[in-house]
Amino acid sequence: MAPGRTPARRGSIQGNLDSREWSDGTLKVERETLLARTDLVGGPLRAALTTLYDGWLASLLGDPGPGVALVAVGALGRQDPTPGSDLDLLLVHDGSHDVSALADKVWYPIWDSGVGLDHSVRTVDEAAAVARGDLKAALGLLDARYVAGDAALAQRLVSATRAAWRGGASKRLPELRDLVAQRAHGFGEVAYLLEPDLKEARGGLRDVHAMHAVAVAQVADVPGEAVRAAYDILLDVRAELHRRTGSAGRRVVDRLLMQEQDGVAAALHLSDADALMAAVSGAARTIAFASDTTWRQVAAASPKRRLLGLRGPAGPVRRPLADDVVEQDGEVLLARDATPEDDPVLVLRVAEAAARAGLPIAPITLVRLADCPALPDPWPTAALDAFVGLLAAGLGAVPVFEALDQAGLLVRLLPEWESVRSKPQRNSYHRFTVDRHLVEAAAGAAGMTRRVGRPDLLLLGALLHDIGKGQPGDHTEVGMRVVAQMAPRLGLAPADVEVLVAMVRHHLLLPDVATRRDLDDPATARGVADAVGSVEVLELLHALTEADSAATGPAAWSSWKGQLISELVRRTEGLLAGTPEAPPAPLTEQQEALVARGELALHADGETVTVVAPDRPGLLSTSAGVLALHRLDVRAASGFARGATAVTVFRVSPRFGALPDWTLVRDDLRHALDGSLPLEERLAAREAAYARRDTPVAPSTVRLVDGASDTATVVEVRAPDELGLLHRIASVLERYDLDVRSAHISTLGADVVDAFYVPVLTDPAVRTSLEQDLLAALP
């Protein structure tokens, strides 16, 4: 059963409950019975709760006579309560007699039942006065619904508060828009968060309530069927979240935590948490898009056109943007004589014009564009040019893609897009769904087009590099097949199709190699050169890597990573151009002086730490453990021996805050090496204090790679990131008497990929034993 699709069978439930004699404890028993019914989800559950509450509240009020009414606001007023919803009630009276005793008669049993209560007692005039001074109170009264008592009085309240809202729209709507913006800033977007707040975040339930408030003010249209269906999906999910988190004394939450997602998905008969989050994301995007459209309508309705601080032309002046495309009142429209039914390229011309002008496409334009015929196969040159022009608009293309998507036009242009639409990437490394990530990557690539010889292929490659994530199998291999079939349809020449497929094949090559392999090993750059085959593909991959990383999230890119990738590209370009590689940079003069002394020393220069000591077993693991003890993450390490002296150079970054006091680090290293510092014990305590408990992890893996170097075996470890992990791995390698020539550490969200260059391993038994011992040391 998909969320939001269940018909509400309210009538049968109503009949059962209305015939019951209410008594103390009835609500609690009936409510528990309803919530225990796992077959009752979605609309039927909300209808049952509404009926239950209405009947019980009416029995509590009894027959108060004229001049008193019980009115529900909030969730119960809207008839969409969830298991965790409070009862928001207003006892309204005409002021003719004291209603305090009657109020107590209603409020106290509710408190005793354990259901949350937000209550007030007011006359119609008092309620209207409060609404005039309190935006949230005014919004709540817009949902007011008669429950029991004097129906005419309740209707007076509803009419008065709605009339007051309409009359004060010029003041209230700017306040409401600011409130919507504040929530979006504070809670983020439901569509793209790992653990979204279904109520408060952008695209959540509150945004729908705001749109209804605008509609009551008669400034914009009532939300359409698509928004209502999306709202139902979020309500269904919220209800099951409340049903789970409200049990056994747990506090009800509106944040859809990862540990609850599988259970909520099962309750809604969805296949898994990915399907749940895809439904949530799709619903939230529909709501957010409609919300943006609503606020543009509000701005257009303002007599001064500055009601909400939005600028626009003073009159209906049309400005041409492209063939059959114009701007009017801050939106993109079709020219009066445009004929969409005869123009298959018009969709792309409108999209390119809107993105370049930084303007939204008017809703009526999106409707009319549905009449455009399908593009031929292959696309005409004008269509491909307009599509590339849309991508070249950069950030201006992002809302245009969303508009095309919401109108169903994007999938008509690119049927392959359906498989990645709203597809979640449920890890902290990625901040967007797959489809939004691809659009953001293309937008980022637009700023790099002058760095490459084929900007059109860069933009297309950025948009399509992860298109394979929508289908089963390795996303790179799937993506190559999809692009090989798709690119000719877009009108690309065979040679360009090959380049685009190569970009998909190798879109992870540069970051993986740069952060996990030894750049000083000649085999590293040689392997990249053999893979990419040309400078043209290499420069495209370089720009794509940066755009892809920036669109992924803050953890995917850093100046350190950028420097490594640039150095790898420089060396690979030299090989492709036939330029011999320069030898590795020598030690600095200060490092050479430390080596000459041959005694224990630790020297720090920014984030570069050099450890020099008489060569001995365990030096690397001990040094790494001491650095971890001081909350330092090792990003890279290289080591060698000069006679009886070992030299290890670490590249580090502080896990929290600033770099440590190096005097303390030196002292701890000295004590750890002479055995007076209980390093293992101290590390265990530190690891326990900073252990990550909120993120599920995949099993750790160990892989021995032989082809990455002519002179070494690369031990590649993938595991959850933990303080001291390098210390544990190095300890195992040292037990096997393996000198680590270099180590390279890259972080992927909550995981790390560590690569260690050790002497070539040929003995199968040693290889198997090493893998097993490493796995035993990993979390």
Side-chain angles (χ1 to χ4, degrees):
M1 175 175 54
R5 303 301 183 190
T6 309
R9 304 183 298 274
R10 186 177 176 186
S12 61
I13 299 171
Q14 177 75 56
N16 292 337
L17 295 175
D18 284 352
S19 63
R20 180 175 285 103
E21 290 294 330
W22 294 95
S23 62
D24 291 344
T26 300
L27 176 71
K28 186 174 183 179
V29 172
E30 290 293 339
R31 186 174 180 279
E32 289 177 351
T33 300
L34 286 178
L35 298 185
R37 288 182 53 185
T38 57
D39 64 312
L40 195 61
V41 298
L45 176 61
R46 295 191 291 277
L49 287 171
T50 299
T51 300
L52 175 65
Y53 291 144
D54 281 3
W56 185 58
L57 293 170
S59 73
L60 293 178
L61 185 68
D63 182 7
V68 179
L70 186 61
V71 173
V73 297
L76 185 58
R78 294 185 297 270
Q79 301 185 72
D80 57 25
T82 57
S85 297
D86 292 342
L87 296 181
D88 296 334
L89 301 172
L90 170 62
L91 188 63
V92 61
H93 61 99
D94 60 8
S96 62
H97 51 276
D98 183 11
V99 294
S100 57
L102 184 59
D104 290 345
K105 177 185 173 184
V106 177
W107 307 150
Y108 276 97
I110 298 175
W111 286 323
D112 292 341
S113 73
V115 177
L117 172 65
D118 189 354
H119 62 92
S120 59
V121 179
R122 293 190 176 97
T123 65
V124 171
D125 291 341
E126 288 170 345
V130 170
R132 284 192 294 272
D134 186 327
L135 175 62
K136 292 184 178 180
L139 292 172
L141 286 169
L142 295 180
D143 297 321
R145 180 178 62 84
Y146 166 76
V147 174
D150 189 336
L153 180 63
Q155 185 56 51
R156 276 179 52 204
L157 172 73
V158 171
S159 300
T161 53
R162 292 194 166 214
W165 176 258
R166 286 190 290 270
S170 61
K171 174 187 176 185
R172 286 305 194 195
L173 292 185
E175 294 176 352
L176 179 56
R177 179 177 178 270
D178 288 345
L179 184 61
V180 169
Q182 289 168 11
R183 283 201 307 267
H185 178 75
F187 290 91
E189 293 198 52
V190 172
Y192 307 118
L193 290 170
L194 282 174
E195 297 179 328
D197 188 305
L198 301 172
K199 186 177 181 181
E200 302 290 348
R202 171 171 159 80
L205 299 170
R206 291 283 196 200
D207 280 358
V208 179
H209 304 160
M211 284 188 276
H212 279 290
V214 173
V216 171
Q218 299 180 346
V219 176
D221 300 330
V222 174
E225 179 57 36
V227 174
R228 290 193 291 272
Y231 182 71
D232 282 347
I233 289 174
L234 295 190
L235 281 176
D236 293 354
V237 174
R238 185 183 184 226
E240 295 312 311
L241 177 63
H242 283 187
R243 180 142 46 180
R244 290 177 59 81
T245 60
S247 61
R250 299 169 66 191
R251 184 174 63 86
V252 171
V253 296
D254 289 318
R255 187 180 173 200
L256 185 53
L257 300 175
M258 291 188 72
Q259 62 260 34
E260 304 295 348
Q261 291 171 11
D262 285 308
V264 172
L268 293 172
H269 303 285
L270 295 170
S271 58
D272 54 25
D274 280 356
L276 170 72
M277 297 311 292
V280 168
S281 176
R285 290 170 67 173
T286 296
I287 292 170
F289 181 75
S291 177
D292 291 343
T293 302
T294 294
W295 290 111
R296 289 203 305 272
Q297 290 178 330
V298 173
S302 168
K304 296 181 179 179
R305 293 197 47 79
R306 298 180 186 275
L307 178 63
L308 302 176
L310 302 177
R311 298 182 177 181
V317 177
R318 290 195 161 206
R319 178 171 68 94
L321 297 176
D323 187 20
D324 288 334
V325 185
V326 300
E327 172 198 352
Q328 178 180 313
D329 290 343
E331 293 183 321
V332 175
L333 296 166
L334 298 184
R336 293 185 179 91
D337 57 352
T339 55
E341 60 276 7
D342 299 324
D343 191 348
V345 184
L346 183 58
V347 174
L348 290 171
R349 288 206 309 276
V350 169
E352 180 188 14
R356 288 188 176 278
L359 295 171
I361 303 174
I364 185 60
T365 303
L366 292 170
V367 172
R368 292 191 64 194
L369 289 175
D371 295 333
C372 291
L375 283 163
D377 183 357
W379 286 8
T381 301
L384 179 58
D385 288 347
F387 188 54
V388 171
L390 165 63
L391 297 175
L395 290 177
V398 175
V400 173
F401 265 88
E402 188 67 13
L404 296 178
D405 181 79
Q406 293 297 322
L409 299 172
L410 185 55
V411 171
R412 286 182 55 186
L413 292 168
L414 306 173
E416 298 84 357
W417 201 258
E418 181 65 42
S419 66
V420 297
R421 187 177 184 275
S422 293
K423 185 173 181 60
Q425 305 192 81
R426 298 178 65 236
N427 60 68
S428 58
Y429 194 59
H430 289 88
R431 58 176 172 163
F432 292 122
T433 53
V434 175
D435 56 341
R436 178 62 179 268
H437 167 75
L438 293 174
V439 174
E440 291 280 346
M448 305 174 195
T449 52
R450 295 185 180 181
R451 291 168 38 180
V452 300
R454 289 296 304 271
D456 55 337
L457 296 182
L458 171 61
L459 295 169
L460 291 169
L463 184 72
L464 301 176
H465 71 276
D466 274 345
I467 195 71
K469 285 187 174 180
Q471 301 179 34
D474 179 85
H475 84 277
T476 297
E477 294 180 2
V478 174
M480 290 165 56
R481 292 195 297 270
V482 171
V483 170
Q485 297 171 0
M486 178 183 183
R489 191 179 76 247
L490 301 184
L492 291 173
D496 291 343
V497 174
E498 289 183 10
V499 172
L500 206 57
V501 171
M503 292 177 68
V504 176
R505 176 189 289 118
H506 299 305
H507 73 274
L508 296 175
L509 177 67
L510 296 182
D512 284 355
V513 171
T515 58
R516 303 174 193 174
R517 296 294 180 261
D518 187 350
L519 299 189
D520 290 331
D521 189 321
T524 300
R526 187 170 66 245
V528 174
D530 291 343
V532 302
S534 69
V535 173
E536 178 188 53
V537 173
L538 180 65
E539 67 179 12
L540 286 169
L541 289 174
H542 190 188
L544 172 59
T545 297
E546 188 171 340
D548 182 19
S549 299
T552 297
W557 190 253
S558 65
S559 59
W560 166 76
K561 187 174 184 179
Q563 291 168 6
L564 289 178
I565 291 172
S566 295
E567 178 62 17
L568 174 61
V569 169
R570 185 189 68 78
R571 297 185 184 208
T572 305
E573 281 179 338
L575 286 178
L576 291 170
T579 305
E581 176 57 39
L587 294 178
T588 66
E589 184 176 335
Q590 191 162 20
Q591 289 172 328
E592 288 285 4
L594 293 174
V595 173
R597 285 201 295 269
E599 58 190 35
L600 175 63
L602 182 151
H603 173 72
D605 182 8
E607 295 186 344
T608 299
V609 180
T610 304
V611 175
V612 177
D615 201 0
R616 53 170 286 179
L619 183 58
L620 174 62
S621 62
T622 301
S623 301
V626 169
L627 293 174
L629 202 58
H630 289 268
R631 303 181 183 89
L632 291 170
D633 287 330
V634 175
R635 297 303 182 192
S638 59
F640 59 91
R642 289 275 187 90
T645 301
V647 182
T648 308
V649 180
F650 296 94
R651 177 69 181 271
V652 302
S653 62
R655 178 161 290 212
F656 308 106
L659 292 168
D661 182 336
W662 293 111
T663 301
L664 299 178
V665 180
R666 290 187 194 96
D667 290 344
D668 280 350
L669 178 60
R670 183 176 296 105
H671 294 314
L673 289 172
D674 67 22
S676 61
L677 175 72
L679 183 59
E680 300 293 340
E681 180 182 330
R682 293 273 299 276
L683 273 177
R686 183 78 75 185
E687 289 173 0
Y690 291 102
R692 300 185 180 186
R693 301 180 178 88
D694 58 342
T695 306
V697 295
S700 300
T701 62
V702 174
R703 189 166 68 104
L704 303 185
V705 182
D706 296 311
S709 172
D710 297 332
T711 59
T713 295
V714 179
V715 179
E716 190 172 274
V717 176
R718 296 170 182 254
D721 187 14
E722 289 188 357
L723 204 74
L725 179 63
L726 177 58
H727 166 75
R728 298 205 300 272
I729 296 172
S731 296
V732 174
L733 297 176
E734 288 162 353
R735 291 206 305 268
Y736 281 78
D737 293 325
L738 296 174
D739 290 330
V740 177
R741 187 179 78 192
S742 65
H744 309 270
I745 291 85
S746 61
T747 303
L748 298 174
D751 293 344
V752 292
V753 180
D754 294 351
F756 303 87
Y757 279 66
V758 302
V760 175
L761 296 172
T762 58
D763 188 332
V766 172
R767 292 169 68 98
T768 300
S769 176
L770 176 62
E771 289 179 0
Q772 293 173 347
D773 286 350
L774 283 170
L775 284 172
L778 299 177

